[in-house]
Amino acid sequence: MTTIDKEELDALIQSEWDYLESKKGEWSLLEGEQDMEVLEHVLRCILHLDMTKDRPREFMECVKVQNPDGGWSKESHTEKTSMWITTFVGLKLCRGNMVLKDPEIQATVDKTLEYVLSMQEEDGHWFDPEWSHLDTTCSVTCFLTIYQVTQDKKNDERINKARVRGFEFIKNWQTDSGLWKDETFHPAGIETTAHLMQYTLVPAYFMDKIEYAGKMCMQAADSMVAEQAANGSWDNENTDHTMDACRNLMLVSDTFKDKEKYAPVIEKGVRWLIDIKNEQGWGDFPDEPSNVERTADGLDTLLKYRRYCSSKPMSDFWAFSK
């Protein structure tokens, strides 16, 4: 395995963004109706590339396709609200509006908050028929955290209580292996665990001051490391899940001040992703054609890795701090 130098990383980041630009018709609402899951993946790249102020309409167009209930659908011009899509579009707008400061976007995310809070189930979870309760619930705890940080509302007890109830639901599902597994959606547990660690356990620790959430998080990190293949990948060379694992370990190891232990694992994973990528972009597995969603995930991984190699806090890249 060769190391990853900054020059190589910078060149790859530019090349992958150029690829996404060339595929704008497949993600931008300015080009027509879109899959909002693909769009929100690209908006994350725009945020991390510091391009938000140059591309305000990419964010503002999302306002126009918000459903009357305050949520969004997977397909932009339909009205079948998806909780998972709602939270990830909503949090991208929260982040984007830190730069844009647009009153329409502000009203939109406030409406989203009310919708999300109204949909929490009695046992603390949130529901989306296309996603597991675990993944859906952690997407909401992430949105609530980012809403509070970007709106300077960390002391809003209504939001805090909802997030803690979500954490209480999730913590009960951790398996003896240290991972969270869902037999219907992701039985291997890599993607689910990576999402829960980033989106629920880290906020539970630093926002809600739940000390044992930190212990659970590091136990899960070690379990995830144990699942890494010799070539650096996770979950049978699944590029999506390898990207998730790498990004998650970046945040967790930086948050809990243990980068020295996890940096070699992360670099090995990122190196594998670089070595198996197509000339431009990634597919869902090696040798598959590139697609926009996975390429946006890959670019996000490279952008986060570049930051990880700096002295700047990773939490800013999740908008868990500002």
Side-chain angles (χ1 to χ4, degrees), residues 6 8 27 46 52 55 65 68 73 80 89 97 106 118 149 191 203 234 257 274 291 309:
K6 187 177 184 303
E8 177 187 19
W27 60 263
I46 292 173
T52 305
R55 296 169 181 269
V65 296
S73 308
K80 183 183 177 182
V89 173
N97 216 34
Q106 183 61 53
S118 75
V149 171
E191 181 180 48
W234 273 272
K257 314 298 183 190
I274 292 172
N291 64 71
C309 295

Side-chain angles (χ1 to χ4, degrees), residues 24-204:
K24 194 172 181 181
E26 297 180 28
W27 60 263
S28 174
L29 287 169
L30 296 170
E31 303 291 326
E33 299 180 6
Q34 299 296 344
D35 181 328
M36 295 299 287
E37 184 175 358
V38 175
L39 172 57
E40 67 89 9
H41 276 67
V42 178
L43 291 180
R44 179 174 54 190
C45 296
I46 292 173
L47 287 162
H48 292 162
L49 286 163
D50 290 328
M51 293 180 174
T52 305
K53 65 180 181 301
D54 301 319
R55 296 169 181 269
R57 292 184 64 198
E58 302 295 357
F59 293 85
M60 294 170 71
E61 287 297 307
C62 295
V63 174
K64 299 177 183 178
V65 296
Q66 186 180 36
N67 291 336
D69 61 12
W72 281 270
S73 308
K74 181 172 170 58
E75 302 303 325
S76 60
H77 290 69
T78 63
E79 291 191 4
K80 183 183 177 182
T81 295
S82 160
M83 182 60 70
W84 194 92
I85 298 297
T86 293
T87 56
F88 279 104
V89 173
L91 69 85
K92 300 305 185 305
L93 293 186
C94 285
R95 296 182 64 179
N97 216 34
M98 291 178 68
V99 176
L100 302 176
K101 303 186 186 310
D102 181 84
E104 283 193 72
I105 294 178
Q106 183 61 53
T108 297
V109 297
D110 289 342
K111 186 175 182 180
T112 301
L113 174 70
E114 296 306 319
Y115 168 71
V116 165
L117 291 176
S118 75
M119 296 301 290
Q120 189 170 27
E121 303 286 346
E122 286 296 319
D123 64 359
H125 84 273
W126 280 268
F127 173 74
D128 188 317
E130 302 297 323
W131 292 85
S132 74
H133 289 348
L134 294 173
D135 244 334
T136 303
T137 299
C138 82
S139 77
V140 178
T141 59
C142 184
F143 167 74
L144 295 178
T145 301
I146 290 173
Y147 180 90
Q148 284 184 289
V149 171
T150 58
Q151 311 298 310
D152 295 318
K153 293 185 177 180
K154 292 183 182 180
N155 295 322
D156 188 317
E157 283 305 308
R158 190 171 59 128
I159 300 175
N160 290 336
K161 288 177 180 177
R163 183 178 49 247
V164 170
R165 288 177 61 209
F167 166 76
E168 293 292 337
F169 172 81
I170 282 170
K171 75 179 178 65
N172 294 326
W173 286 80
Q174 189 176 27
T175 65
D176 292 341
S177 69
L179 302 176
W180 279 262
K181 299 184 179 184
D182 186 294
E183 296 303 324
T184 303
F185 290 87
H186 296 297
I190 300 302
E191 181 180 48
T192 300
T193 301
H195 288 170
L196 297 180
M197 289 169 67
Q198 296 173 77
Y199 302 149
T200 300
L201 296 187
V202 170

Side-chain angles (χ1 to χ4, degrees), residues 4-20 49 271 274 277-282 295 298-299 302-303 306:
I4 305 164
D5 63 43
K6 187 177 184 303
E7 186 176 333
E8 177 187 19
L9 200 55
D10 289 347
L12 283 169
I13 286 169
Q14 184 60 54
S15 176
E16 297 316 300
W17 175 248
D18 290 344
Y19 172 81
L20 291 177
L49 286 163
R271 181 76 261 173
I274 292 172
K277 71 182 294 297
N278 299 323
E279 182 178 353
Q280 283 188 305
W282 285 265
T295 300
L299 175 55
L302 297 181
L303 287 162
R306 182 166 68 180

Side-chain angles (χ1 to χ4, degrees), residues 289-304:
S290 297
N291 64 71
V292 170
E293 182 179 343
R294 202 57 52 234
T295 300
D297 264 337
L299 175 55
D300 180 59
T301 303
L302 297 181
L303 287 162
K304 283 174 174 164

